[in-house]
Amino acid sequence: MLIGLFNDWIVVVLMMIGLYIVIAHGNLIKKLIGLTIFQTSVFIFYISMAKIDGGTAPILADGITQYSNPLPHVLILTAIVVGIATTALGLSLVVRIKESYNSIEEEEIQQQDNDEQLSMNKAEETA
Amino acid sequence: MIAHLPILQVIIPLLAAPICLLLNRSKLVWLFTLLVSALAFSISILLLQQVMSSGVISYELGGWQAPWGIEYRIDNLNAFLLLIISGISTVVLVAAQTSIEKEIPKDKHVYFYVLYLLSLTGMMGIVATGDAFNVFVFLEISSLSAYALIAMGNKRQALWASYQYLIMGTIGATFILIGIGLMYQMTGTLNMEDLSQRLPEVAQTRTVFVSFVFVIVGVCLKLAMFPLHLWLPNAYAYAPSIVTAFFAATATKVAVYLLIRFTFSVFGLSFSFTTIPLQTLFMALGLIGIFVASTTAIYQSNVKHLFAYSSIAQIGYMIVGFSLSTVAGLTATLLHMFNHALMKGAIFLALAAVVYRVGNVELKSFRGLGRQMPLTMAAIVIGGLSLIGVPLTVGFVSKWYLLTALVEQGWWPIAVLILLGSMLAVVYVWRVIEVAYFKEPLDPNIKVKEAPMSFLIPIWTLVIANIYFGIDTRLSVQVAEAAAQSLFGVSP
């Protein structure tokens, strides 16, 4: 069972690693990388689903009767593009956050926001 | 032309988005976007008329036959939602140019409209399609444009809010992708209609069970159901005000639609409510959401945060209606989708007007605003009364249907809890009204003018719709009931 379902084990391990990184790390870039690993595990899942025993790449050629299922390949191309767009958007947000907060650590950013909120409340009380 | 309406509904805003880049002038792009949105609204009216008279519309993309090709399937439920989304989009756009003049730098205006159109495309696509993977694609289109729109807010907290929403939203969408993959693995099809026919034979396998759970959790994250609501308050509060007005009225409704579509049409009613105790779970989470969110709303000092928490509470009402799994309960949920869009659209547009004139929406800035911006504050009052559920407003209609649906099933204690939730709404609405009408402004020398006409027209269109549809409920109730009944008829 270990060898036969090897792909599925890899999917599960990568999925859990990805989610763990997103939750456990405070560095914004590391979170994005964790998210990418999580999404990649889903891609591997779909592609493993598409492989048919004895099937070749799904490109029409003479003399070949058994092809792998091309539909999940197409779905994953779409999902990869979506993943790229998400990562690009996330990284540009991190650049802007670095410019505004001067930090890319979650705790420092939340600390700065809390301090700002506290000083606003203090200013309100004294006014 | 009429035959192609389902795809035109989605393609027109999609193609219009890059055309905005060619036009390149702020006011011109605004007019163009407004026209495109109005066109999408008229298409959705035509679609609704067609569906109400002749039944489900099935459209095959590119002529490829379903289930191999992608199918766009418009029934009562879809058409109702398309109407809500395009309608709110058009009304909000009337005020958009004036609002973003003060909140977004001039060179970014064109990009704002491009993202807005892409977001509209995404939401229309999610609602119109009948193919499960197409749902994922349009979900990501609408989500990515939402993240970018939220990040355009003028405070730096907008960037952080957008990043958090990006992380949580992508995890949710990827969960939905996993669910779709597992469904495909068991049945070999992605077409929702075909899935509903093939899933029952494999329904007892663990794969389908896990697929169901992944899809439900992913969708619940998108609809901000307690406890997966953490992204919503900051995202709504720090986004540009007009963006909040658009999203508060539409984004979560689309996610509730997805929940209904997957549980009723794809997995089937009996499967969905028996594999996991969905009724108990959703009723409990819905109620907890109502109370936790309403209570948190009371303690907010930023009025946008206050109404964002109020939105989470209103989603709780929709979830409770859904969890009943009766025609009456589902009618109440669908009605509330329509009514809440009207209520929150009006309130957040009025808040956008306040931001335009005053500069911020801290509660202390509302002092004396009742006298200085009478029409805007009156809109917030009527919207607030609608949230509470006062008769003659749309809020009353949805609450009434929800309460009758609950009592019909014998859930008396839950009905009492719903009424208590409305009492909490009274508290937080009163906080805003008290400050606006009964407190003196902090600096009597600063004169605040009433909002310009470009705000007042859409705000009062939505407010009058609030009252009109609260009195003449024929349109909303008829469509909602027809949609609920057809959903119960279709599911195995």
Side-chain angles (χ1 to χ4, degrees), chain A residues 28 31 38-39 45-46 49 69 75 82 86 93 100 112-113 116, chain B residues 133 140 144 151 156-157 160 162-163 167 170 174-175 177 181-182 184:
Chain A
L28 299 189
K31 280 186 197 285
F38 175 54
Q39 287 178 318
F45 166 58
Y46 268 73
M49 200 202 305
N69 189 346
L75 300 180
V82 166
T86 311
L93 276 174
S100 309
Q112 286 188 33
D113 277 342
E116 204 178 299
Chain B
F133 192 76
E140 285 292 38
L144 285 171
R156 64 183 188 174
Q157 280 88 348
W160 178 232
S162 173
Y163 181 87
I167 298 286
T170 309
T174 314
F175 274 13
L177 183 62
L182 288 166
Y184 177 70

PDB file of all heavy atoms in Angstrom, chain A residues 28 31 38-39 45-46 49 69 75 82 86 93 100 112-113 116, chain B residues 133 140 144 151 156-157 160 162-163 167 170 174-175 177 181-182 184:
ATOM      1  N   LEU A  28       6.056  37.018   6.373  1.00  0.00           N
ATOM      2  CA  LEU A  28       5.061  37.044   5.306  1.00  0.00           C
ATOM      3  C   LEU A  28       5.479  36.261   4.067  1.00  0.00           C
ATOM      4  O   LEU A  28       4.657  35.617   3.413  1.00  0.00           O
ATOM      5  CB  LEU A  28       4.744  38.493   4.909  1.00  0.00           C
ATOM      6  CG  LEU A  28       4.151  39.381   6.010  1.00  0.00           C
ATOM      7  CD1 LEU A  28       3.696  40.697   5.437  1.00  0.00           C
ATOM      8  CD2 LEU A  28       3.016  38.697   6.716  1.00  0.00           C
ATOM      9  N   LYS A  31       4.989  32.604   4.685  1.00  0.00           N
ATOM     10  CA  LYS A  31       3.575  32.224   4.567  1.00  0.00           C
ATOM     11  C   LYS A  31       3.209  31.981   3.120  1.00  0.00           C
ATOM     12  O   LYS A  31       2.510  31.022   2.785  1.00  0.00           O
ATOM     13  CB  LYS A  31       2.686  33.331   5.127  1.00  0.00           C
ATOM     14  CG  LYS A  31       2.546  33.363   6.619  1.00  0.00           C
ATOM     15  CD  LYS A  31       1.507  34.431   6.955  1.00  0.00           C
ATOM     16  CE  LYS A  31       1.542  34.857   8.386  1.00  0.00           C
ATOM     17  NZ  LYS A  31       0.962  33.858   9.273  1.00  0.00           N
ATOM     18  N   PHE A  38       1.249  24.228  -0.499  1.00  0.00           N
ATOM     19  CA  PHE A  38      -0.091  23.679  -0.326  1.00  0.00           C
ATOM     20  C   PHE A  38      -0.781  23.524  -1.678  1.00  0.00           C
ATOM     21  O   PHE A  38      -1.361  22.487  -1.996  1.00  0.00           O
ATOM     22  CB  PHE A  38      -0.866  24.616   0.611  1.00  0.00           C
ATOM     23  CG  PHE A  38      -2.301  24.276   0.817  1.00  0.00           C
ATOM     24  CD1 PHE A  38      -2.689  23.017   1.244  1.00  0.00           C
ATOM     25  CD2 PHE A  38      -3.286  25.235   0.614  1.00  0.00           C
ATOM     26  CE1 PHE A  38      -4.018  22.711   1.454  1.00  0.00           C
ATOM     27  CE2 PHE A  38      -4.623  24.933   0.824  1.00  0.00           C
ATOM     28  CZ  PHE A  38      -4.986  23.674   1.244  1.00  0.00           C
ATOM     29  N   GLN A  39      -0.698  24.581  -2.512  1.00  0.00           N
ATOM     30  CA  GLN A  39      -1.348  24.507  -3.819  1.00  0.00           C
ATOM     31  C   GLN A  39      -0.688  23.461  -4.704  1.00  0.00           C
ATOM     32  O   GLN A  39      -1.365  22.741  -5.442  1.00  0.00           O
ATOM     33  CB  GLN A  39      -1.304  25.878  -4.508  1.00  0.00           C
ATOM     34  CG  GLN A  39      -2.258  26.860  -3.890  1.00  0.00           C
ATOM     35  CD  GLN A  39      -2.178  28.222  -4.535  1.00  0.00           C
ATOM     36  OE1 GLN A  39      -1.102  28.725  -4.828  1.00  0.00           O
ATOM     37  NE2 GLN A  39      -3.309  28.828  -4.761  1.00  0.00           N
ATOM     38  N   PHE A  45      -1.953  15.974  -6.819  1.00  0.00           N
ATOM     39  CA  PHE A  45      -3.110  15.116  -6.620  1.00  0.00           C
ATOM     40  C   PHE A  45      -3.888  14.930  -7.922  1.00  0.00           C
ATOM     41  O   PHE A  45      -4.219  13.814  -8.324  1.00  0.00           O
ATOM     42  CB  PHE A  45      -3.979  15.732  -5.522  1.00  0.00           C
ATOM     43  CG  PHE A  45      -5.353  15.161  -5.425  1.00  0.00           C
ATOM     44  CD1 PHE A  45      -5.540  13.810  -5.205  1.00  0.00           C
ATOM     45  CD2 PHE A  45      -6.465  15.969  -5.544  1.00  0.00           C
ATOM     46  CE1 PHE A  45      -6.807  13.276  -5.105  1.00  0.00           C
ATOM     47  CE2 PHE A  45      -7.732  15.443  -5.447  1.00  0.00           C
ATOM     48  CZ  PHE A  45      -7.912  14.104  -5.233  1.00  0.00           C
ATOM     49  N   TYR A  46      -4.174  16.054  -8.617  1.00  0.00           N
ATOM     50  CA  TYR A  46      -4.928  15.971  -9.864  1.00  0.00           C
ATOM     51  C   TYR A  46      -4.172  15.192 -10.933  1.00  0.00           C
ATOM     52  O   TYR A  46      -4.742  14.384 -11.659  1.00  0.00           O
ATOM     53  CB  TYR A  46      -5.198  17.390 -10.403  1.00  0.00           C
ATOM     54  CG  TYR A  46      -6.494  18.019  -9.964  1.00  0.00           C
ATOM     55  CD1 TYR A  46      -6.665  18.468  -8.663  1.00  0.00           C
ATOM     56  CD2 TYR A  46      -7.529  18.183 -10.856  1.00  0.00           C
ATOM     57  CE1 TYR A  46      -7.848  19.065  -8.280  1.00  0.00           C
ATOM     58  CE2 TYR A  46      -8.716  18.796 -10.473  1.00  0.00           C
ATOM     59  CZ  TYR A  46      -8.862  19.233  -9.193  1.00  0.00           C
ATOM     60  OH  TYR A  46     -10.030  19.829  -8.803  1.00  0.00           O
ATOM     61  N   MET A  49      -4.162  11.556 -10.486  1.00  0.00           N
ATOM     62  CA  MET A  49      -5.480  11.037 -10.808  1.00  0.00           C
ATOM     63  C   MET A  49      -5.594  10.747 -12.302  1.00  0.00           C
ATOM     64  O   MET A  49      -6.328   9.875 -12.729  1.00  0.00           O
ATOM     65  CB  MET A  49      -6.502  12.118 -10.420  1.00  0.00           C
ATOM     66  CG  MET A  49      -7.885  11.649 -10.221  1.00  0.00           C
ATOM     67  SD  MET A  49      -9.035  13.028 -10.404  1.00  0.00           S
ATOM     68  CE  MET A  49      -8.407  14.194  -9.234  1.00  0.00           C
ATOM     69  N   ASN A  69      -5.485  10.510 -19.189  1.00  0.00           N
ATOM     70  CA  ASN A  69      -6.624  11.422 -19.226  1.00  0.00           C
ATOM     71  C   ASN A  69      -6.132  12.870 -19.346  1.00  0.00           C
ATOM     72  O   ASN A  69      -5.432  13.357 -18.461  1.00  0.00           O
ATOM     73  CB  ASN A  69      -7.440  11.248 -17.934  1.00  0.00           C
ATOM     74  CG  ASN A  69      -8.751  11.996 -17.986  1.00  0.00           C
ATOM     75  OD1 ASN A  69      -8.956  12.835 -18.844  1.00  0.00           O
ATOM     76  ND2 ASN A  69      -9.627  11.695 -17.050  1.00  0.00           N
ATOM     77  N   LEU A  75      -6.992  21.155 -16.369  1.00  0.00           N
ATOM     78  CA  LEU A  75      -7.466  21.818 -15.151  1.00  0.00           C
ATOM     79  C   LEU A  75      -6.291  22.357 -14.351  1.00  0.00           C
ATOM     80  O   LEU A  75      -6.342  23.454 -13.796  1.00  0.00           O
ATOM     81  CB  LEU A  75      -8.265  20.834 -14.287  1.00  0.00           C
ATOM     82  CG  LEU A  75      -9.511  20.213 -14.908  1.00  0.00           C
ATOM     83  CD1 LEU A  75     -10.164  19.285 -13.904  1.00  0.00           C
ATOM     84  CD2 LEU A  75     -10.486  21.269 -15.337  1.00  0.00           C
ATOM     85  N   VAL A  82      -3.556  30.329 -11.858  1.00  0.00           N
ATOM     86  CA  VAL A  82      -4.197  30.999 -10.725  1.00  0.00           C
ATOM     87  C   VAL A  82      -3.202  31.111  -9.573  1.00  0.00           C
ATOM     88  O   VAL A  82      -3.088  32.160  -8.928  1.00  0.00           O
ATOM     89  CB  VAL A  82      -5.449  30.212 -10.287  1.00  0.00           C
ATOM     90  CG1 VAL A  82      -5.917  30.679  -8.939  1.00  0.00           C
ATOM     91  CG2 VAL A  82      -6.552  30.362 -11.308  1.00  0.00           C
ATOM     92  N   THR A  86      -1.858  34.496  -7.757  1.00  0.00           N
ATOM     93  CA  THR A  86      -1.997  34.714  -6.314  1.00  0.00           C
ATOM     94  C   THR A  86      -0.645  35.035  -5.693  1.00  0.00           C
ATOM     95  O   THR A  86      -0.521  35.971  -4.892  1.00  0.00           O
ATOM     96  CB  THR A  86      -2.586  33.472  -5.640  1.00  0.00           C
ATOM     97  OG1 THR A  86      -3.739  33.056  -6.362  1.00  0.00           O
ATOM     98  CG2 THR A  86      -2.939  33.742  -4.208  1.00  0.00           C
ATOM     99  N   LEU A  93       2.017  42.712  -2.526  1.00  0.00           N
ATOM    100  CA  LEU A  93       1.483  43.238  -1.265  1.00  0.00           C
ATOM    101  C   LEU A  93       2.578  43.288  -0.211  1.00  0.00           C
ATOM    102  O   LEU A  93       2.673  44.249   0.564  1.00  0.00           O
ATOM    103  CB  LEU A  93       0.331  42.364  -0.759  1.00  0.00           C
ATOM    104  CG  LEU A  93      -1.044  42.663  -1.333  1.00  0.00           C
ATOM    105  CD1 LEU A  93      -2.035  41.632  -0.845  1.00  0.00           C
ATOM    106  CD2 LEU A  93      -1.504  44.041  -0.947  1.00  0.00           C
ATOM    107  N   SER A 100       5.514  50.348   3.947  1.00  0.00           N
ATOM    108  CA  SER A 100       4.711  51.111   4.913  1.00  0.00           C
ATOM    109  C   SER A 100       5.059  50.796   6.354  1.00  0.00           C
ATOM    110  O   SER A 100       5.097  51.684   7.194  1.00  0.00           O
ATOM    111  CB  SER A 100       3.228  50.813   4.723  1.00  0.00           C
ATOM    112  OG  SER A 100       2.862  50.958   3.398  1.00  0.00           O
ATOM    113  N   GLN A 112       2.717  47.207  15.671  1.00  0.00           N
ATOM    114  CA  GLN A 112       2.641  48.603  15.215  1.00  0.00           C
ATOM    115  C   GLN A 112       1.193  49.067  15.126  1.00  0.00           C
ATOM    116  O   GLN A 112       0.857  50.188  15.504  1.00  0.00           O
ATOM    117  CB  GLN A 112       3.305  48.753  13.843  1.00  0.00           C
ATOM    118  CG  GLN A 112       4.809  48.692  13.900  1.00  0.00           C
ATOM    119  CD  GLN A 112       5.427  49.030  12.551  1.00  0.00           C
ATOM    120  OE1 GLN A 112       4.886  49.830  11.812  1.00  0.00           O
ATOM    121  NE2 GLN A 112       6.550  48.420  12.251  1.00  0.00           N
ATOM    122  N   ASP A 113       0.311  48.172  14.628  1.00  0.00           N
ATOM    123  CA  ASP A 113      -1.101  48.551  14.531  1.00  0.00           C
ATOM    124  C   ASP A 113      -1.695  48.767  15.907  1.00  0.00           C
ATOM    125  O   ASP A 113      -2.453  49.723  16.133  1.00  0.00           O
ATOM    126  CB  ASP A 113      -1.900  47.468  13.791  1.00  0.00           C
ATOM    127  CG  ASP A 113      -1.804  47.623  12.290  1.00  0.00           C
ATOM    128  OD1 ASP A 113      -1.434  48.719  11.849  1.00  0.00           O
ATOM    129  OD2 ASP A 113      -2.110  46.660  11.581  1.00  0.00           O
ATOM    130  N   GLU A 116      -0.501  51.999  17.389  1.00  0.00           N
ATOM    131  CA  GLU A 116      -1.170  53.140  16.754  1.00  0.00           C
ATOM    132  C   GLU A 116      -2.556  53.320  17.335  1.00  0.00           C
ATOM    133  O   GLU A 116      -2.984  54.438  17.628  1.00  0.00           O
ATOM    134  CB  GLU A 116      -1.263  52.867  15.253  1.00  0.00           C
ATOM    135  CG  GLU A 116      -1.388  54.079  14.389  1.00  0.00           C
ATOM    136  CD  GLU A 116      -1.425  53.689  12.920  1.00  0.00           C
ATOM    137  OE1 GLU A 116      -0.442  53.086  12.454  1.00  0.00           O
ATOM    138  OE2 GLU A 116      -2.446  53.977  12.281  1.00  0.00           O
TER     139      GLU A 116
ATOM    140  N   PHE B 133     -15.673  23.094 -12.095  1.00  0.00           N
ATOM    141  CA  PHE B 133     -14.345  23.700 -12.159  1.00  0.00           C
ATOM    142  C   PHE B 133     -14.422  25.148 -12.602  1.00  0.00           C
ATOM    143  O   PHE B 133     -13.630  25.985 -12.171  1.00  0.00           O
ATOM    144  CB  PHE B 133     -13.426  22.911 -13.088  1.00  0.00           C
ATOM    145  CG  PHE B 133     -11.999  23.318 -12.966  1.00  0.00           C
ATOM    146  CD1 PHE B 133     -11.247  22.912 -11.882  1.00  0.00           C
ATOM    147  CD2 PHE B 133     -11.398  24.142 -13.901  1.00  0.00           C
ATOM    148  CE1 PHE B 133      -9.934  23.301 -11.739  1.00  0.00           C
ATOM    149  CE2 PHE B 133     -10.082  24.540 -13.775  1.00  0.00           C
ATOM    150  CZ  PHE B 133      -9.351  24.116 -12.691  1.00  0.00           C
ATOM    151  N   GLU B 140     -11.668  32.406  -8.245  1.00  0.00           N
ATOM    152  CA  GLU B 140     -10.355  33.001  -8.113  1.00  0.00           C
ATOM    153  C   GLU B 140     -10.276  34.346  -8.818  1.00  0.00           C
ATOM    154  O   GLU B 140      -9.618  35.265  -8.331  1.00  0.00           O
ATOM    155  CB  GLU B 140      -9.282  32.043  -8.651  1.00  0.00           C
ATOM    156  CG  GLU B 140      -9.011  30.889  -7.720  1.00  0.00           C
ATOM    157  CD  GLU B 140      -8.331  31.303  -6.418  1.00  0.00           C
ATOM    158  OE1 GLU B 140      -8.645  32.373  -5.869  1.00  0.00           O
ATOM    159  OE2 GLU B 140      -7.484  30.557  -5.933  1.00  0.00           O
ATOM    160  N   LEU B 144      -9.128  37.398  -6.550  1.00  0.00           N
ATOM    161  CA  LEU B 144      -7.883  38.135  -6.795  1.00  0.00           C
ATOM    162  C   LEU B 144      -8.174  39.613  -7.022  1.00  0.00           C
ATOM    163  O   LEU B 144      -7.471  40.481  -6.481  1.00  0.00           O
ATOM    164  CB  LEU B 144      -7.144  37.550  -7.994  1.00  0.00           C
ATOM    165  CG  LEU B 144      -6.452  36.223  -7.716  1.00  0.00           C
ATOM    166  CD1 LEU B 144      -5.945  35.607  -8.999  1.00  0.00           C
ATOM    167  CD2 LEU B 144      -5.288  36.421  -6.764  1.00  0.00           C
ATOM    168  N   ALA B 151      -6.665  46.371  -1.297  1.00  0.00           N
ATOM    169  CA  ALA B 151      -5.352  46.948  -1.032  1.00  0.00           C
ATOM    170  C   ALA B 151      -5.247  48.382  -1.505  1.00  0.00           C
ATOM    171  O   ALA B 151      -4.264  49.060  -1.182  1.00  0.00           O
ATOM    172  CB  ALA B 151      -4.267  46.107  -1.694  1.00  0.00           C
ATOM    173  N   ARG B 156      -2.433  52.224   5.651  1.00  0.00           N
ATOM    174  CA  ARG B 156      -1.573  51.061   5.442  1.00  0.00           C
ATOM    175  C   ARG B 156      -2.211  49.777   5.966  1.00  0.00           C
ATOM    176  O   ARG B 156      -1.840  48.681   5.550  1.00  0.00           O
ATOM    177  CB  ARG B 156      -0.206  51.285   6.082  1.00  0.00           C
ATOM    178  CG  ARG B 156      -0.256  51.422   7.576  1.00  0.00           C
ATOM    179  CD  ARG B 156       1.119  51.717   8.121  1.00  0.00           C
ATOM    180  NE  ARG B 156       1.103  51.657   9.579  1.00  0.00           N
ATOM    181  CZ  ARG B 156       2.201  51.769  10.316  1.00  0.00           C
ATOM    182  NH1 ARG B 156       3.370  51.937   9.745  1.00  0.00           N
ATOM    183  NH2 ARG B 156       2.119  51.703  11.627  1.00  0.00           N
ATOM    184  N   GLN B 157      -3.199  49.913   6.888  1.00  0.00           N
ATOM    185  CA  GLN B 157      -3.881  48.710   7.379  1.00  0.00           C
ATOM    186  C   GLN B 157      -4.607  47.985   6.245  1.00  0.00           C
ATOM    187  O   GLN B 157      -4.880  46.797   6.349  1.00  0.00           O
ATOM    188  CB  GLN B 157      -4.913  49.053   8.468  1.00  0.00           C
ATOM    189  CG  GLN B 157      -4.323  49.274   9.829  1.00  0.00           C
ATOM    190  CD  GLN B 157      -3.900  50.719  10.044  1.00  0.00           C
ATOM    191  OE1 GLN B 157      -3.853  51.503   9.098  1.00  0.00           O
ATOM    192  NE2 GLN B 157      -3.598  51.050  11.273  1.00  0.00           N
ATOM    193  N   TRP B 160      -2.363  45.241   4.943  1.00  0.00           N
ATOM    194  CA  TRP B 160      -2.307  44.100   5.842  1.00  0.00           C
ATOM    195  C   TRP B 160      -3.615  43.310   5.789  1.00  0.00           C
ATOM    196  O   TRP B 160      -3.618  42.087   5.763  1.00  0.00           O
ATOM    197  CB  TRP B 160      -2.001  44.598   7.248  1.00  0.00           C
ATOM    198  CG  TRP B 160      -1.940  43.570   8.311  1.00  0.00           C
ATOM    199  CD1 TRP B 160      -2.602  43.578   9.489  1.00  0.00           C
ATOM    200  CD2 TRP B 160      -1.166  42.370   8.314  1.00  0.00           C
ATOM    201  NE1 TRP B 160      -2.292  42.477  10.229  1.00  0.00           N
ATOM    202  CE2 TRP B 160      -1.411  41.708   9.528  1.00  0.00           C
ATOM    203  CE3 TRP B 160      -0.285  41.775   7.403  1.00  0.00           C
ATOM    204  CZ2 TRP B 160      -0.833  40.493   9.870  1.00  0.00           C
ATOM    205  CZ3 TRP B 160       0.305  40.562   7.747  1.00  0.00           C
ATOM    206  CH2 TRP B 160       0.027  39.937   8.957  1.00  0.00           C
ATOM    207  N   SER B 162      -5.679  43.154   3.278  1.00  0.00           N
ATOM    208  CA  SER B 162      -5.730  42.461   1.998  1.00  0.00           C
ATOM    209  C   SER B 162      -4.861  41.208   2.024  1.00  0.00           C
ATOM    210  O   SER B 162      -5.247  40.157   1.512  1.00  0.00           O
ATOM    211  CB  SER B 162      -5.275  43.413   0.892  1.00  0.00           C
ATOM    212  OG  SER B 162      -5.170  42.724  -0.317  1.00  0.00           O
ATOM    213  N   TYR B 163      -3.663  41.308   2.648  1.00  0.00           N
ATOM    214  CA  TYR B 163      -2.775  40.140   2.714  1.00  0.00           C
ATOM    215  C   TYR B 163      -3.411  39.014   3.507  1.00  0.00           C
ATOM    216  O   TYR B 163      -3.388  37.856   3.099  1.00  0.00           O
ATOM    217  CB  TYR B 163      -1.439  40.553   3.329  1.00  0.00           C
ATOM    218  CG  TYR B 163      -0.447  39.434   3.418  1.00  0.00           C
ATOM    219  CD1 TYR B 163       0.389  39.147   2.348  1.00  0.00           C
ATOM    220  CD2 TYR B 163      -0.344  38.655   4.562  1.00  0.00           C
ATOM    221  CE1 TYR B 163       1.295  38.107   2.419  1.00  0.00           C
ATOM    222  CE2 TYR B 163       0.552  37.619   4.632  1.00  0.00           C
ATOM    223  CZ  TYR B 163       1.375  37.345   3.565  1.00  0.00           C
ATOM    224  OH  TYR B 163       2.261  36.312   3.632  1.00  0.00           O
ATOM    225  N   ILE B 167      -4.391  35.224   2.136  1.00  0.00           N
ATOM    226  CA  ILE B 167      -3.979  33.930   2.681  1.00  0.00           C
ATOM    227  C   ILE B 167      -5.195  33.066   2.978  1.00  0.00           C
ATOM    228  O   ILE B 167      -5.315  31.920   2.532  1.00  0.00           O
ATOM    229  CB  ILE B 167      -3.124  34.118   3.944  1.00  0.00           C
ATOM    230  CG1 ILE B 167      -1.843  34.883   3.622  1.00  0.00           C
ATOM    231  CG2 ILE B 167      -2.805  32.786   4.586  1.00  0.00           C
ATOM    232  CD1 ILE B 167      -0.816  34.084   2.875  1.00  0.00           C
ATOM    233  N   THR B 170      -7.261  32.154  -0.269  1.00  0.00           N
ATOM    234  CA  THR B 170      -6.645  31.158  -1.148  1.00  0.00           C
ATOM    235  C   THR B 170      -6.753  29.772  -0.532  1.00  0.00           C
ATOM    236  O   THR B 170      -6.974  28.790  -1.254  1.00  0.00           O
ATOM    237  CB  THR B 170      -5.173  31.513  -1.402  1.00  0.00           C
ATOM    238  OG1 THR B 170      -5.108  32.857  -1.809  1.00  0.00           O
ATOM    239  CG2 THR B 170      -4.600  30.634  -2.479  1.00  0.00           C
ATOM    240  N   THR B 174      -8.605  26.769  -2.417  1.00  0.00           N
ATOM    241  CA  THR B 174      -7.896  25.517  -2.677  1.00  0.00           C
ATOM    242  C   THR B 174      -8.633  24.338  -2.058  1.00  0.00           C
ATOM    243  O   THR B 174      -8.642  23.246  -2.627  1.00  0.00           O
ATOM    244  CB  THR B 174      -6.458  25.597  -2.147  1.00  0.00           C
ATOM    245  OG1 THR B 174      -5.895  26.828  -2.554  1.00  0.00           O
ATOM    246  CG2 THR B 174      -5.618  24.479  -2.698  1.00  0.00           C
ATOM    247  N   PHE B 175      -9.278  24.545  -0.906  1.00  0.00           N
ATOM    248  CA  PHE B 175     -10.106  23.474  -0.343  1.00  0.00           C
ATOM    249  C   PHE B 175     -11.212  23.102  -1.321  1.00  0.00           C
ATOM    250  O   PHE B 175     -11.512  21.926  -1.536  1.00  0.00           O
ATOM    251  CB  PHE B 175     -10.733  23.926   0.984  1.00  0.00           C
ATOM    252  CG  PHE B 175      -9.854  23.719   2.179  1.00  0.00           C
ATOM    253  CD1 PHE B 175      -8.513  23.410   2.049  1.00  0.00           C
ATOM    254  CD2 PHE B 175     -10.367  23.844   3.461  1.00  0.00           C
ATOM    255  CE1 PHE B 175      -7.706  23.232   3.155  1.00  0.00           C
ATOM    256  CE2 PHE B 175      -9.568  23.660   4.567  1.00  0.00           C
ATOM    257  CZ  PHE B 175      -8.242  23.357   4.431  1.00  0.00           C
ATOM    258  N   LEU B 177     -11.109  23.446  -4.498  1.00  0.00           N
ATOM    259  CA  LEU B 177     -10.461  22.742  -5.602  1.00  0.00           C
ATOM    260  C   LEU B 177     -10.234  21.283  -5.252  1.00  0.00           C
ATOM    261  O   LEU B 177     -10.468  20.385  -6.070  1.00  0.00           O
ATOM    262  CB  LEU B 177      -9.137  23.436  -5.933  1.00  0.00           C
ATOM    263  CG  LEU B 177      -8.354  22.869  -7.111  1.00  0.00           C
ATOM    264  CD1 LEU B 177      -9.169  22.996  -8.369  1.00  0.00           C
ATOM    265  CD2 LEU B 177      -7.028  23.584  -7.260  1.00  0.00           C
ATOM    266  N   GLY B 181     -11.762  18.025  -7.138  1.00  0.00           N
ATOM    267  CA  GLY B 181     -10.904  16.964  -7.640  1.00  0.00           C
ATOM    268  C   GLY B 181     -11.361  15.593  -7.163  1.00  0.00           C
ATOM    269  O   GLY B 181     -11.408  14.627  -7.927  1.00  0.00           O
ATOM    270  N   LEU B 182     -11.727  15.517  -5.869  1.00  0.00           N
ATOM    271  CA  LEU B 182     -12.185  14.244  -5.323  1.00  0.00           C
ATOM    272  C   LEU B 182     -13.500  13.818  -5.975  1.00  0.00           C
ATOM    273  O   LEU B 182     -13.705  12.638  -6.282  1.00  0.00           O
ATOM    274  CB  LEU B 182     -12.345  14.362  -3.803  1.00  0.00           C
ATOM    275  CG  LEU B 182     -11.025  14.438  -3.026  1.00  0.00           C
ATOM    276  CD1 LEU B 182     -11.260  14.886  -1.606  1.00  0.00           C
ATOM    277  CD2 LEU B 182     -10.310  13.102  -3.041  1.00  0.00           C
ATOM    278  N   TYR B 184     -14.427  14.610  -8.999  1.00  0.00           N
ATOM    279  CA  TYR B 184     -14.103  14.191 -10.365  1.00  0.00           C
ATOM    280  C   TYR B 184     -13.523  12.785 -10.365  1.00  0.00           C
ATOM    281  O   TYR B 184     -13.806  11.962 -11.234  1.00  0.00           O
ATOM    282  CB  TYR B 184     -13.116  15.170 -11.001  1.00  0.00           C
ATOM    283  CG  TYR B 184     -12.687  14.775 -12.378  1.00  0.00           C
ATOM    284  CD1 TYR B 184     -13.572  14.845 -13.446  1.00  0.00           C
ATOM    285  CD2 TYR B 184     -11.409  14.296 -12.623  1.00  0.00           C
ATOM    286  CE1 TYR B 184     -13.192  14.447 -14.709  1.00  0.00           C
ATOM    287  CE2 TYR B 184     -11.031  13.911 -13.887  1.00  0.00           C
ATOM    288  CZ  TYR B 184     -11.916  13.982 -14.920  1.00  0.00           C
ATOM    289  OH  TYR B 184     -11.531  13.596 -16.171  1.00  0.00           O
TER     290      TYR B 184
END
